[in-house]
Amino acid sequence: MRLNTQLRRQKTRFQQILTNTLRIVSVGMILVASQVPSAMCLYWSVSAFFGLAQNIAFKFPAVRRLLGIPQTPSESQHPMQDLRNLMRLKGEEFMRIQREGRPTKKNT
């Protein structure tokens, strides 16, 4: 999910609310995961790994054609380069926030 949303420049209000809600739920899941049997944590970890692998695989046009998925206007011809650039940008943003702190919104 985040792989696709990071490529957009401007998020709608609904997207911002949904993203922040899912972040809060993710943090809450840590508390739940600490109380469940280890087999459940293993299941969640494996499930998350396969979900990530599926999202990355569907970025490749060859995989999409093999599965009969038609070409879309947002399909990239260079998915690895796009992922590498996205990771670099997110890393730079993280380092900037660590140095300067997160910017706050000011009411005008």
Side-chain angles (χ1 to χ4, degrees):
M1 181 176 92
R2 287 195 41 95
L3 295 176
N4 289 328
T5 60
Q6 293 300 322
L7 297 176
R8 294 191 190 114
R9 295 284 181 213
Q10 200 63 270
K11 291 183 181 178
T12 65
R13 177 141 173 82
F14 175 74
Q15 288 172 328
Q16 290 174 343
I17 291 170
L18 183 62
T19 300
N20 290 329
T21 302
L22 291 175
R23 286 178 180 157
I24 291 168
V25 169
S26 296
V27 171
M29 288 302 291
I30 293 172
L31 299 172
V32 172
S34 69
Q35 301 300 315
V36 298
S38 60
M40 185 62 78
C41 291
L42 176 65
Y43 165 77
W44 284 338
S45 300
V46 171
S47 176
F49 171 76
F50 277 105
L52 177 63
Q54 182 180 17
N55 278 326
I56 291 173
F58 284 159
K59 294 285 184 193
F60 291 95
V63 172
R64 294 169 64 90
R65 296 302 90 72
L66 183 68
L67 297 172
I69 300 172
Q71 187 171 2
T72 60
S74 63
E75 185 174 299
S76 173
Q77 295 302 315
H78 308 285
M80 289 304 290
Q81 184 179 359
D82 293 342
L83 289 172
R84 190 173 25 252
N85 289 339
L86 179 62
M87 293 300 290
R88 182 183 51 80
L89 289 172
K90 295 308 284 182
E92 289 172 0
E93 179 185 5
F94 175 78
M95 293 307 292
R96 182 186 54 77
I97 290 172
Q98 296 306 309
R99 284 191 304 271
E100 303 168 6
R102 187 171 294 275
T104 58
K105 293 181 181 179
K106 296 183 179 183
N107 296 331
T108 56

